[in-house]
Amino acid sequence: MAKAPVLTPRAHDFPRWYQDLINKAELADNGPVRGTMVIRPYGYGLWERMQAEMDARIKRAGAANAYFPLFIPQSYLTREAEHVEGFAPELAVVTHGGGKELEEPVVVRPTSETIINEYFSKWVQSYRDLPLLINQWANVVRWEMRPRVFLRTTEFLWQEGHTAHATYEDARDYAAYIHRDVYADFMVDVLGIDVVLGRKTASERFAGAINTLTLEAMMGDGKALQMGTSHELGQNFAKAFSTRYLSKEGREEYVWQTSWGSSTRMVGGLIMAHGDDDGLRVPPRLAPVQAVVLAIKGDEPVLAKVREIGDRLAAAGVRVQVDDRTDTPFGRRAVDWELKGVPVRIEVGPRDLEGGTAMLARRIPGGKEPVALDALAGLLPAILEEDQALLLRQSRERRESRTSDVSTVEEAVEVATAGGWARLPWATLGEEGEAGLAEHAVTVRCLVAEDGSVPDADDAPGNVAVVARAY
């Protein structure tokens, strides 16, 4: 009788596989309030590594971290009409506190454009105060009707950047820099996920923005996932909050602004882009644990050797963990590490010691081979880089092989419902065609130029719409 698989096979039920993996790899649990989640230590370790890599890039972009309150006066949101209209269905509003009805209801932070502008208007007086570049790591609440752990939750963790500039050009260029040199660089170089950089259509744009830049990735089932966005806000919030500065010429001017964000949704993207029927596959540059050294048995010489190997690998710059829990069966431990997607397992038992070798198991390409113990520290860095490159290559090949050029709305719907992406001229599709796609739960994920670059305008000649079903 065949042994039941640990996870539901992806081909049988992709959503069930996703939920199985989150549970079995000990990434998260559902919270007690519908739509919330408890992020478990291993899942939070992935997020911490994402934070560290992103934070370094954000700081290189000149932004400094700050923190703004969770509670926002409701009146702040009503100052920018498009913004409040866009977020109204998702707001959580507090009307009572300390046993009393509040004089003014407060909104639990859905995003911070309004409250940050209130303070920008105090901090910006002169052109010398610009650009003002702020980022915060925080939680936000958007009431979610159809929750899914990591992908759509009522409360999630993220970073949100907010900036003020003297000119439209400075703001536009900074939003593009974040899009390209912070987000895309991180997602491609660290997450190993191929992303398409593009421009949102007017109907998909962030509420209150004049332009939204997006990064779209194809998941293992062919659906798209928006991995991050960078917005040009123009002067909409500046006018609503009187965020002005005195120019070099002595004129009072409104600032030009950007905002940009990425969230724990990236953990969901990591799972669905790289996971297989055996569990996670974590890119080595991201992995909290790049290699785990397992003692097969509890013999003292074996335990001493695995600890020695752990020390050598750590000295070589590898993030390593020693698993000497020999009171737990070896097979179970090996499966657990496989589920968690640790790139390399080094398995050592009494026979290995006799031969001066260890068994090297590579999670990403698969396979096992004996390796001389003395060679491990020298081999591993190159192996990890090789596996990092493989994940990105597989991600790109999947998107390219499952993307079709079409010429009609009907063909685009057919491709998307079959689990692929479609590309067609925006001049052919237009807003009317976009509305027709929506009837089939298909959306324009972004607009790209003919050469694949990010277009300067929604209606730029040659714009191509990338169309898919999405999470």
Side-chain angles (χ1 to χ4, degrees):
M1 187 172 175
K3 188 178 178 181
V6 176
L7 303 174
T8 301
R10 290 176 303 158
H12 291 182
D13 189 337
F14 195 85
R16 172 47 56 191
W17 165 82
Y18 177 79
Q19 196 58 51
D20 281 356
L21 179 47
I22 286 171
N23 292 335
K24 297 285 178 66
E26 299 179 336
L27 300 178
D29 271 330
N30 290 311
V33 175
R34 187 176 184 274
T36 62
M37 63 176 168
V38 175
I39 306 176
R40 298 186 68 177
Y42 191 72
Y44 199 81
L46 294 171
W47 175 239
E48 283 182 313
R49 288 282 307 142
M50 291 180 183
Q51 277 186 302
E53 291 281 352
M54 288 279 290
D55 198 57
R57 287 165 172 77
I58 289 167
K59 285 174 176 158
R60 283 202 295 271
N65 286 336
Y67 185 80
F68 292 82
L70 175 69
F71 296 123
I72 302 172
Q74 192 173 42
S75 59
Y76 283 19
L77 270 80
T78 62
R79 293 194 210 173
E80 212 291 325
E82 286 184 28
H83 192 67
V84 69
E85 182 181 351
F87 279 99
E90 301 175 327
L91 297 181
V93 183
V94 179
T95 58
H96 288 71
K100 297 179 181 179
E101 186 172 354
L102 302 178
E103 290 183 15
E104 179 186 353
V106 296
V107 172
V108 182
R109 174 175 53 220
T111 180
S112 298
E113 279 76 9
T114 58
I115 192 167
I116 288 178
N117 259 280
E118 176 73 9
Y119 287 86
F120 275 15
S121 66
K122 294 180 180 181
W123 299 344
V124 175
Q125 304 297 324
S126 157
Y127 69 91
R128 297 182 186 88
D129 300 321
L130 299 173
L132 180 54
L133 313 174
I134 295 291
N135 177 66
Q136 81 164 341
W137 292 94
N139 63 337
V140 292
V141 170
R142 299 178 185 176
W143 218 258
E144 183 56 59
M145 295 297 105
R146 294 180 296 279
R148 186 172 294 178
V149 172
F150 289 122
L151 298 177
R152 290 191 175 274
T153 49
T154 294
E155 179 192 12
F156 54 91
L157 306 180
W158 77 346
Q159 60 73 214
E160 51 176 320
H162 300 269
T163 70
H165 304 260
T167 67
Y168 160 73
E169 290 79 12
D170 283 349
R172 176 200 63 197
D173 292 349
Y174 195 81
Y177 179 89
I178 294 293
H179 186 223
R180 179 186 64 247
D181 292 283
V182 174
Y183 290 161
D185 182 73
F186 165 71
M187 290 165 193
V188 172
D189 198 53
V190 179
L191 292 187
I193 295 177
D194 175 67
V195 287
V196 171
L197 282 69
R199 180 185 183 104
K200 285 292 190 185
T201 62
S203 66
E204 293 284 328
R205 197 177 290 154
F206 178 74
I210 62 171
N211 181 31
T212 290
L213 303 172
T214 184
L215 303 101
E216 302 287 330
M218 181 182 280
M219 301 294 100
D221 61 351
K223 286 185 179 179
L225 184 70
Q226 178 181 290
M227 298 285 287
T229 48
S230 182
H231 315 289
E232 296 175 46
L233 301 181
Q235 294 179 312
N236 291 344
F237 288 92
K239 290 176 178 176
F241 286 84
S242 295
T243 312
R244 295 176 288 188
Y245 72 98
L246 199 64
S247 71
K248 287 182 181 179
E249 295 73 29
R251 292 192 302 269
E252 200 168 58
E253 307 274 5
Y254 287 106
V255 299
W256 296 82
Q257 293 184 271
T258 78
S259 69
W260 26 279
S262 62
S263 74
T264 38
R265 168 178 282 206
M266 291 191 295
V267 180
L270 172 76
I271 296 166
M272 295 193 297
H274 294 322
D276 62 18
D277 285 349
D278 295 317
L280 272 174
R281 294 190 303 162
V282 181
R285 291 182 188 169
L286 177 77
V289 179
Q290 295 174 314
V292 60
V293 188
L294 288 92
I296 294 176
K297 293 194 174 177
D299 299 0
E300 193 52 47
V302 169
L303 295 175
K305 180 56 72 173
V306 297
R307 291 162 189 158
E308 178 192 321
I309 293 169
D311 290 341
R312 284 188 186 177
L313 293 179
V318 177
R319 293 188 291 276
V320 62
Q321 183 166 329
V322 171
D323 184 347
D324 53 8
R325 302 168 297 155
T326 51
D327 54 345
T328 299
F330 168 75
R332 178 178 171 181
R333 288 183 287 136
V335 169
D336 284 347
W337 288 115
E338 191 161 72
L339 281 165
K340 286 180 165 64
V342 171
V344 170
R345 294 196 316 275
I346 298 159
E347 303 168 355
V348 182
R351 289 182 184 175
D352 300 297
L353 277 190
E354 289 175 14
T357 64
M359 190 60 70
L360 181 72
R362 292 171 65 176
R363 178 68 183 88
I364 291 164
K368 283 186 174 187
E369 61 178 330
V371 173
L373 290 172
D374 292 342
L376 281 169
L379 285 175
L380 235 58
I383 285 172
L384 294 172
E385 282 301 295
E386 187 180 305
D387 291 353
Q388 178 81 28
L390 175 61
L391 283 177
L392 178 60
R393 188 163 65 249
Q394 290 175 341
S395 175
R396 183 168 292 133
E397 288 171 353
R398 176 174 60 238
R399 178 183 62 81
E400 290 176 347
S401 68
R402 297 174 72 170
T403 298
S404 304
D405 288 311
V406 302
S407 55
T408 68
V409 172
E410 291 73 24
E411 288 175 323
V413 168
E414 186 178 343
V415 168
T417 52
W421 289 12
R423 289 166 37 98
L424 74 164
W426 175 242
T428 300
L429 183 64
E431 293 180 2
E432 186 176 334
E434 187 177 17
L437 292 175
E439 295 174 6
H440 301 275
V442 177
T443 54
V444 177
R445 302 314 306 157
C446 63
L447 301 176
V448 297
E450 281 182 296
D451 63 0
S453 62
V454 180
D456 293 328
D458 294 351
D459 56 357
N463 275 0
V464 174
V466 177
V467 170
R469 286 193 164 165
Y471 286 98

